[in-house]
Amino acid sequence: MAFLLGAGSCSEDKLDEIDTNPNSPEDVSINLLLSQVTINVPFAVANTDLAWYSSVFVQHTTGVHGQMQSADRRAGNEDATLVNNVWNNIYAGPLPDLNLIIEKGSDGGSESGRYHDVGIAKVLKAYTIAIATDAWGRVPYTEAGQGNTNRTPAYDTQQQIYTEIQTLLDEAIAEFAKQAPNPGVSDLIFRGDMERWRKTAYSLKARYHNRLSRIDPQGSATQALAAAEQGFQGNVDNFTFTRFTATAIGENPWFQERNDRSHHAVSETFVNLLTSKNDPRLQAMVAPAPNTGAITPAPNGTQTNDQANQNFSDVNISVLNATAPLPLMTYDELKFIEAESHLRLGNTGEAFTAYQEGIRAAMQRQINAPEPAIASYLSNASLPQSGGALTQEDIIEQKWIAFFYFQSIEAYNDWRRTGFPVLTHPIQQAPLRFPYPLSELDANAANVPNVQIYTDPVWWAGGPE
């Protein structure tokens, strides 16, 4: 009887395993978490819905089918379900994972001493929360990303969040200076190259200082330039995700969108601007439309449905393919930030030099342009030929071209901040922010700010907190 009892009873270890899912472990190592976030941030935070809508709003592309065409016609842009998925991706995915890496890898954590992993997590956390606040304005931050402990987090002001972003990046730089195990292949962006992460942190600091140009024109310029000095030194340093694969679940998200939905065509605004400047990137980046045999852009607000891109042009396969690199921040953007900052400080010569270097780097990155083609373009009479002739509009126009096709969120941020490039639309200008998601309106309505997306700019674009 004693034998039967012993054989049929459960040990304490077995009892502990009841009601647990062996395929969903409660404790995940930093190595696994880091691999996950270095994929999820480029894919689910920096791209997909926010980027696709931003592309239409800033007229890199025209919506020619489905949701993007509705957005271009200004139908449904206030729909609270518009970007539910991205909000949920941020607050239920990368943000909790990034917080967990920071907790586990810091002193006193279960994997203490993993300072380089912690630094990467702080860079990606700063980048992620910047995407969120730039899209919506006030968002949860101090009470967010802590798992399911608080389902009604308070909304922090954008000013407070921007202070926290700079703090995170400063802390990351300090983490990179410490002796620590190298993340190696768990880091799917730079493969443990901590110098490139350090340069990325400084470059992002320059971006987010420059974002406050309307809040503090002189101070933001000075701070951006100081950070930029230690940022990217060339295209080799670019903060770019390059690990896509030609498989159904491993492709570039823009390529997936084209294959699965095909809601975009290249916009008339983009083609007309490059045509007016005789820009060699036009022929290299934009494909002829099959039905016309020529580059045929789509006017924004079009009533013509062209899901298969037969009547209107799409981007060339050299730009958009399954494994196309996905830039998150680049050397050319940093040079344009320097140009704009110098211009605000009255340093016209330095501004012009940085402006031309930004164009050169963008052309090399986007189409691998040879130096003679770049020199010819820079000497074009449609471009300023001296620092005295350079304007903010010149800088932002070239930055807007450089952001094509994958960095539409940043182009949308610049348009809202500066008003450039000057965009016209037959129906209505683009929204000044994204609508808060239905999930928050349902569960956290008391904390969700009451704003109008077409009339209320975010704080750094001149709106109230």
Side-chain angles (χ1 to χ4, degrees):
M1 189 68 168
F3 172 79
L4 291 175
L5 179 61
S9 63
C10 293
S11 69
E12 288 186 9
D13 289 343
K14 289 297 182 184
L15 285 170
D16 289 341
E17 293 176 7
I18 293 174
D19 290 334
T20 64
N21 181 356
N23 297 317
S24 182
E26 294 181 5
D27 185 36
V28 182
S29 71
I30 283 179
N31 286 342
L32 291 176
L33 287 167
L34 190 67
S35 294
Q36 184 161 299
V37 295
T38 51
I39 292 174
N40 285 350
V41 171
F43 189 100
V45 175
N47 285 278
T48 66
D49 291 342
L50 275 182
W52 298 334
Y53 281 107
S54 294
S55 183
V56 170
F57 293 160
V58 81
Q59 297 183 21
H60 275 161
T61 61
T62 297
V64 292
H65 184 73
Q67 295 162 307
M68 296 305 126
Q69 188 170 37
S70 294
D72 212 343
R73 293 173 178 173
R74 305 298 184 247
N77 283 335
E78 298 191 45
D79 186 350
T81 65
L82 197 71
V83 284
N84 255 356
N85 289 341
V86 178
W87 181 282
N88 292 335
N89 285 338
I90 290 172
Y91 284 102
L95 202 54
D97 288 344
L98 292 166
N99 285 337
L100 190 54
I101 292 171
I102 294 167
E103 176 188 335
K104 290 169 74 71
S106 298
D107 290 338
S110 60
E111 296 185 58
S112 63
R114 298 286 294 270
Y115 304 122
H116 293 174
D117 301 81
V118 170
I120 293 170
K122 288 182 176 181
V123 170
L124 294 178
K125 183 177 179 179
Y127 181 89
T128 296
I129 201 64
I131 292 281
T133 192
D134 291 342
W136 287 286
R138 293 181 64 179
V139 294
Y141 174 69
T142 54
E143 296 182 6
Q146 308 299 325
N148 294 323
T149 57
N150 184 357
R151 295 180 182 274
T152 57
Y155 279 58
D156 298 278
T157 66
Q158 193 167 60
Q159 182 175 13
Q160 178 184 352
I161 293 170
Y162 258 76
T163 299
E164 294 292 335
I165 287 168
Q166 292 293 346
T167 298
L168 281 168
L169 293 170
D170 286 336
E171 289 176 353
I173 292 164
E175 302 286 1
F176 297 146
K178 298 176 182 177
Q179 291 294 320
N182 188 281
V185 296
S186 296
D187 165 17
L188 295 179
I189 296 177
F190 289 141
R191 296 284 173 156
D193 188 333
M194 305 319 297
E195 177 62 10
R196 292 181 71 185
W197 275 111
R198 188 190 68 82
K199 290 178 181 177
T200 294
Y202 275 111
S203 299
L204 288 172
K205 282 179 65 65
R207 171 194 279 180
Y208 299 130
H209 281 309
N210 192 56
R211 187 88 83 231
L212 306 187
S213 62
R214 293 181 61 161
I215 303 298
D216 181 9
Q218 303 297 303
S220 65
T222 300
Q223 290 171 311
L225 289 171
E229 285 185 2
Q230 299 194 65
F232 303 142
Q233 300 302 304
N235 280 333
V236 68
D237 295 325
N238 287 345
F239 183 32
T240 300
F241 187 83
T242 61
R243 307 293 175 181
F244 294 115
T245 59
T247 61
I249 60 171
E251 297 166 335
N252 182 304
W254 288 82
F255 183 80
Q256 289 184 1
E257 195 282 335
R258 180 162 73 178
N259 275 4
D260 297 344
R261 303 180 185 180
S262 192
H263 287 184
H264 297 266
V266 177
S267 83
E268 191 172 69
T269 302
F270 184 78
V271 171
N272 286 350
L273 180 62
L274 269 67
T275 299
S276 72
K277 297 182 181 301
N278 196 26
D279 194 316
R281 286 172 286 187
L282 177 61
Q283 299 291 330
M285 295 196 298
V286 180
N291 285 349
T292 66
I295 291 177
T296 310
N300 284 92
T302 181
Q303 303 300 306
T304 303
N305 188 293
D306 188 34
Q307 182 181 16
N309 288 108
Q310 296 301 300
N311 299 314
F312 297 126
S313 291
D314 202 347
V315 293
N316 266 327
I317 191 68
S318 60
V319 173
L320 181 58
N321 53 70
T323 60
L326 201 59
L328 305 177
M329 186 172 181
T330 59
Y331 174 64
D332 46 275
E333 179 188 348
L334 187 62
K335 300 310 289 186
F336 289 130
I337 289 169
E338 289 181 31
E340 189 183 346
S341 297
H342 277 304
L343 195 65
R344 287 205 300 279
L345 295 174
N347 307 326
T348 56
E350 291 91 338
F352 185 65
T353 298
Y355 165 76
Q356 289 204 315
E357 178 59 17
I359 294 174
R360 174 175 286 103
M363 294 181 71
Q364 290 170 340
R365 174 179 59 83
Q366 290 178 294
I367 64 169
N368 197 27
E371 185 56 37
I374 296 172
S376 176
Y377 180 64
L378 291 175
S379 66
N380 191 315
S382 66
L383 271 61
Q385 296 301 306
S386 69
L390 183 67
T391 66
Q392 185 189 46
E393 182 174 7
D394 294 320
I395 297 167
I396 301 301
E397 277 188 350
Q398 286 296 327
K399 200 175 172 191
W400 180 79
I401 295 170
F403 281 144
F404 185 86
Y405 181 75
F406 302 113
Q407 291 182 276
S408 52
I409 292 176
E410 286 306 310
Y412 181 51
N413 292 337
D414 273 348
W415 174 74
R416 292 181 293 159
R417 178 176 63 88
T418 69
F420 299 125
V422 176
L423 303 175
T424 60
H425 194 279
I427 301 171
Q428 185 179 11
Q429 279 288 21
L432 301 177
R433 61 169 76 211
F434 281 89
Y436 287 105
L438 184 62
S439 56
E440 281 294 284
L441 295 173
D442 284 345
N444 196 19
N447 287 321
V448 177
N450 182 18
V451 294
Q452 303 300 316
I453 67 169
Y454 281 103
T455 57
D456 296 337
V458 300
W459 168 72
W460 51 247
E465 288 281 24

